[in-house]
Amino acid sequence: MKRVRSLPIIILTILSSFFSLAAYADESGPIVIRFSHVSNDGSPKGKGALLLQKLVKERLGDKVVIEVHGNSELFNDTDGLEALRRNEIQLMAPSLSKFRAYTDELQIFDLPFLFDDLAAVDKFQSRPKGRQLLLSMVKQGIVGLAYWHNGMKQLSANKPLTTPEEAAGLNFRIQNSDVLKAQFAAVKANSVVLPYSAMSKALADGQVQGAENPWANFDEQNLQSVQPYLTETNHGVLDYMLVTNSEFWYDIPFEIRSQLEGIIAEVTYQVNQTAAEETLRHRENIANSGKTEIISLSDEQRAAWRQSMQPVWQEFSDQIGKRLIRSAQAAN
Ligand code: LMR
């Protein structure tokens, strides 16, 4: 009896919530999504952000507006993630090293020499374990929507580095990551945590003498003018997670959210498809600049770097999880 009487109420509740959600987009104007990031427009992330803005304008223009704020104009990554949790901004794509405060597992992407190349990274990210990591920060109010590639990292310095011993005593700029700190400690080098926007100046001033970056970032930050040597180590990966505020995201009416997710999938495909050719283009720019000498390593020389940095895996395997590490290795 009770059940029968409450049925219309349930229907009314569903209908009214449907209409109030619909009103979300129509009566109160478009949903504004502020996308804050630290890169410039020519970088893989900058291009992805602009493409997302363009496609959303074309297809959902009256319902959703994406504002893009690049170049750390609003926040650096650390402050930005807290702003995202407060819903002051709604989209970011920090590098995978920037989530240390929210999860242990994502540290996996910082382990040196874990992935042979970007294809292996891609494979791992597409498999169930990689997909699960997108949801590893939901309790902290952060939900991952996609992985965006940048590329494999190279080492640069104010002197040529061929052997790990040559790095000893140098200060390297790092992202805020315990794994990256341990990686440089393993070759007896020091590390200084600095936001991306401060890297170039710190290299020019001599506060740090070296850095690790994918080709695109090195070129986009014009590090050719401050780093005369770059060693092609491919020792790690710098990729991104496109993230949003979970409460904000699941409040978006289902139909609009689904369309947004479709557009994000398209942009992700585009960013990731072009990553390899972007990397080549930036590598060529650096080679043609005549300012930075690119040092290639023989297999034996690269193996020596790998061997000196490998103990870092052991140090972090309990925090990250041995099974997760094994499944990443299986992608090689
Ligand atoms: C960095 O701090 O080096 C990276 O996070 C920069 C980037 O590409 O976002």
Side-chain angles (χ1 to χ4, degrees):
M1 202 49 186
K2 197 169 175 234
R3 248 195 213 162
V4 174
R5 265 213 314 255
S6 63
L7 194 60
I9 296 173
I10 291 168
I11 291 169
L12 265 180
T13 311
I14 292 170
L15 281 177
S16 76
S17 77
F18 174 79
F19 284 118
S20 78
L21 284 177
Y24 187 92
D26 290 337
E27 285 160 24
S28 49
I31 301 165
V32 177
I33 298 181
R34 300 174 94 201
F35 188 160
S36 164
H37 69 84
V38 299
S39 307
N40 48 27
D41 289 349
S43 66
K45 175 165 42 186
K47 286 183 176 174
L50 292 177
L51 180 62
L52 182 63
Q53 181 183 48
K54 176 173 171 279
L55 296 185
V56 167
K57 188 170 178 205
E58 281 168 14
R59 301 188 199 159
L60 285 171
D62 53 333
K63 300 192 186 84
V64 183
V65 171
I66 304 231
E67 285 178 8
V68 177
H69 301 274
N71 265 319
S72 311
E73 164 189 308
L74 293 182
F75 297 104
N76 66 35
D77 283 325
T78 308
D79 298 343
L81 280 166
E82 283 304 295
L84 181 115
R85 294 176 77 208
R86 294 191 300 271
N87 199 25
E88 290 168 19
I89 54 177
Q90 292 73 32
L91 272 184
M92 287 182 76
S95 103
L96 294 164
S97 313
K98 300 282 176 63
F99 296 104
R100 181 65 199 101
Y102 311 105
T103 165
D104 286 340
E105 288 175 310
L106 285 177
Q107 294 183 108
I108 191 165
F109 290 102
D110 284 343
L111 289 180
F113 294 98
L114 175 61
F115 296 105
D116 288 349
D117 49 30
L118 204 54
V121 176
D122 192 86
K123 214 189 272 177
F124 173 66
Q125 290 172 348
S126 320
R127 288 178 176 171
K129 284 262 188 266
R131 304 302 301 168
Q132 273 167 25
L133 293 179
L134 291 172
L135 301 179
S136 60
M137 298 174 286
V138 168
K139 280 196 188 131
Q140 280 77 23
I142 299 172
V143 62
L145 301 170
Y147 291 106
W148 283 2
H149 293 326
N150 184 321
M152 301 303 283
K153 290 182 293 186
Q154 320 301 331
L155 277 184
S156 64
N158 61 356
K159 63 180 235 192
L161 299 177
T162 309
T163 67
E165 291 74 25
E166 285 159 348
L170 294 183
N171 294 336
F172 284 86
R173 177 268 166 175
I174 57 165
Q175 305 177 72
N176 190 3
S177 151
D178 297 339
V179 178
L180 297 180
K181 190 169 177 207
Q183 168 192 280
F184 282 108
V187 294
K188 301 194 171 42
N190 309 309
S191 44
V192 181
V193 174
L194 290 171
Y196 190 55
S197 55
M199 170 167 58
S200 178
K201 184 169 182 302
L203 286 165
D205 293 350
Q207 183 191 358
V208 290
Q209 296 84 44
E212 52 162 16
N213 279 290
W215 296 99
N217 287 12
F218 190 95
D219 188 29
E220 283 294 326
Q221 294 293 303
N222 189 25
L223 297 191
Q224 291 92 316
S225 58
V226 286
Q227 292 280 263
Y229 300 98
L230 183 155
T231 308
E232 193 161 18
T233 47
N234 288 310
H235 65 278
V237 63
L238 194 149
D239 259 12
Y240 306 114
M241 192 184 284
L242 182 69
V243 289
T244 185
N245 175 305
S246 44
E247 210 173 311
F248 164 80
W249 194 250
Y250 294 113
D251 261 358
I252 298 177
F254 177 77
E255 206 189 313
I256 299 179
R257 183 161 27 98
S258 305
Q259 289 181 69
L260 278 172
E261 281 164 358
I263 296 173
I264 287 171
E266 223 174 297
V267 174
T268 299
Y269 180 79
Q270 180 66 20
V271 171
N272 293 348
Q273 271 293 105
T274 49
E277 79 196 46
E278 282 291 290
T279 285
L280 273 182
R281 184 172 69 79
H282 287 291
R283 190 189 186 285
E284 243 171 68
N285 285 348
I286 297 163
N288 294 339
S289 73
K291 293 181 185 162
T292 300
E293 184 185 328
I294 298 175
I295 300 162
S296 303
L297 298 177
S298 66
D299 289 350
E300 292 76 37
Q301 285 165 335
R302 189 165 181 270
W305 283 92
R306 174 194 275 269
Q307 203 179 350
S308 5
M309 291 178 168
Q310 190 94 30
V312 174
W313 290 30
Q314 186 63 28
E315 199 177 327
F316 288 89
S317 65
D318 284 345
Q319 274 184 37
I320 296 170
K322 292 190 177 64
R323 285 176 66 180
L324 194 60
I325 296 178
R326 273 199 300 274
S327 57
Q329 278 181 288
N332 283 321

